[in-house]
Amino acid sequence: GEVTAKPGGGAGPQPERVELPGTLPVLPLTNTVLFPALLAPLLVNTARSQRLIDHVLVTPDRLMLAAAVRHPVEGSPGPDDVHRIGTVLRVARMMKFPDGSYRLLVQGVARARVEEFVGEERFLEARVVLLEDQGDPRSVECAALSRSVSQGFQALVAEHPKLSDELQVIAASLEDPSRLADLVANHLELDVAVQQAVLEELDVAARLRGGVAG
C-alpha cells in the first residue's frame, strides 16, 4: 500500500487558523480518510512518499494535503487517482525505522480542495484552497444533533473493546459540533467511500445527521 494510517488517533487541539502556501504536496492515502482536528499515526514506506515527507519536513509549516485514493492503482497514484477534497495535515513528529520506513504523527488542520495539480515528477503537488464549515454550528438543530451523536458515540465506545475509554471523555467535552462529527466518523468502522462523503460534507448539521444515522 502507498500509505496506511492506523485508526484510533485522538482529538487534537482546537483547529488553528492556517495560511496555506501557494502549493502543497499531496499524499495519497490508501483505504484511509483522515479528518481535520485529529492526531493520527501514519506509516510511509514507498520511496515516492518518503521524498514527499523529506520535502515537507524542511518547509516552514510542515504542511501537506492528504487525499484518499479513489480506486486501487498499480504503482504510484496520479492526479486522476485521488479525491479532490482532502485534509491539510501538519507533521508533528517523524521517526525513521531500521527498515527505512517512516512513522509520522500528523495533526489534521483543515478541509481543503485541490484546485489544480501542478506537478507529479517527484511527488504530487497542487494548488489547494481551504474549505470552511457551512451552516450555523450554534443553531438549536446542531445542539440537539450534537447531544444525540455524543451520547450514541459514548455508548458505542463503552461497548467496543477496541475503542479507548478516553474517547468518551473527549466526545463528552467537545463543544464544537464540527469536530464532534469528525471524531465520530474517524472512529466508526465506516467504508472509505462513506468516510470520504463525510469529509466532503461541509454542512455541519448534515454531517451530524449522518452520525446519528450511523
Side-chain angles (χ1 to χ4, degrees), residues 19-73:
E19 291 290 323
L20 290 187
T23 63
L24 279 183
V26 179
L27 182 71
L29 296 178
T30 307
N31 297 326
T32 305
V33 174
L34 291 178
F35 289 90
L38 292 169
L39 209 53
L42 267 186
L43 172 68
V44 176
N45 56 9
T46 69
R48 185 175 171 88
S49 293
Q50 286 168 339
R51 270 201 305 277
L52 182 152
I53 298 302
D54 288 340
H55 167 82
V56 167
L57 289 173
V58 297
T59 61
D61 295 326
R62 303 173 90 171
L63 296 175
M64 59 185 170
L65 182 77
V69 175
R70 293 172 188 274
H71 44 72
V73 283

Side-chain angles (χ1 to χ4, degrees), residues 149-160 168:
V149 168
S150 180
Q151 287 165 358
F153 183 61
Q154 289 175 61
L156 180 83
V157 171
E159 294 168 12
H160 204 299
Q168 286 177 290

